[in-house]
Amino acid sequence: MARGKRVASVGHFTSVVRHIASVAASLSIIDDHPQSGDYPAVVAEYLLPKMDLVFIIGSTLANKTLPRLLELCQGSFVVLVGPSTCMTPILFSYSVNCLGGTLYTDRAGCLSLVRQGLHGQMVHHGQKLSFEKGA
């Protein structure tokens, strides 16, 4: 799907870089804490309207930036992705085309990690899922 397309990722996902960069016409990564080669979040206003495919980190729903990002992505195929993605089909009504997240299956393991402050490792206690609009 990304082959020859202009792709952006709001949030730095190593897997997006690994799998998409080599096939996309361009890959722009936009992040609040940009790494080398990334763009700061303020450029989303200029870059996102030009994209064919956009990956958006699920935490943008919690931090209330998702509505504006979706406005900027009109005409793009939008994937809301990451372990914090809210896996509800209601998001398909708001210009999201695909949801990619995690179903946490090991409650005790997740709670143990939360108590240790190791939230980023919770993905190892669940199953990755994806749902596409109309699929």
Side-chain angles (χ1 to χ4, degrees):
M1 177 178 253
R3 188 169 305 283
K5 304 288 186 187
R6 295 166 297 176
V7 180
S9 178
V10 178
H12 194 104
F13 292 100
T14 304
S15 60
V16 169
V17 174
R18 186 177 335 122
H19 298 292
I20 304 291
S22 63
V23 298
S26 65
L27 174 60
S28 302
I29 299 173
I30 302 166
D31 201 285
D32 284 334
H33 306 286
Q35 298 178 23
S36 178
D38 293 356
Y39 292 96
V42 296
V43 303
E45 294 285 327
Y46 307 101
L47 287 179
L48 292 182
K50 301 174 184 175
M51 297 295 140
D52 301 306
L53 172 61
V54 180
F55 294 89
I56 301 176
I57 192 166
S59 61
T60 57
L61 182 61
N63 71 24
K64 300 180 181 159
T65 58
L66 183 60
R68 179 63 184 149
L69 294 170
L70 293 175
E71 286 177 8
L72 295 169
C73 294
Q74 293 299 313
S76 301
F77 188 92
V78 176
V79 181
L80 194 60
V81 67
S84 62
T85 297
C86 185
M87 300 297 285
T88 175
I90 192 88
L91 291 167
F92 296 146
S93 300
Y94 296 94
S95 302
V96 173
N97 300 96
C98 185
L99 300 168
T102 303
L103 172 64
Y104 296 100
T105 54
D106 178 1
R107 183 174 188 242
C110 288
L111 288 173
S112 174
L113 290 173
V114 168
R115 288 185 189 110
Q116 298 173 63
L118 301 172
H119 303 91
Q121 295 181 23
M122 284 178 42
V123 71
H124 301 295
H125 291 280
Q127 178 181 349
K128 292 181 181 180
L129 302 170
S130 65
F131 300 103
E132 192 170 332
K133 183 178 183 176

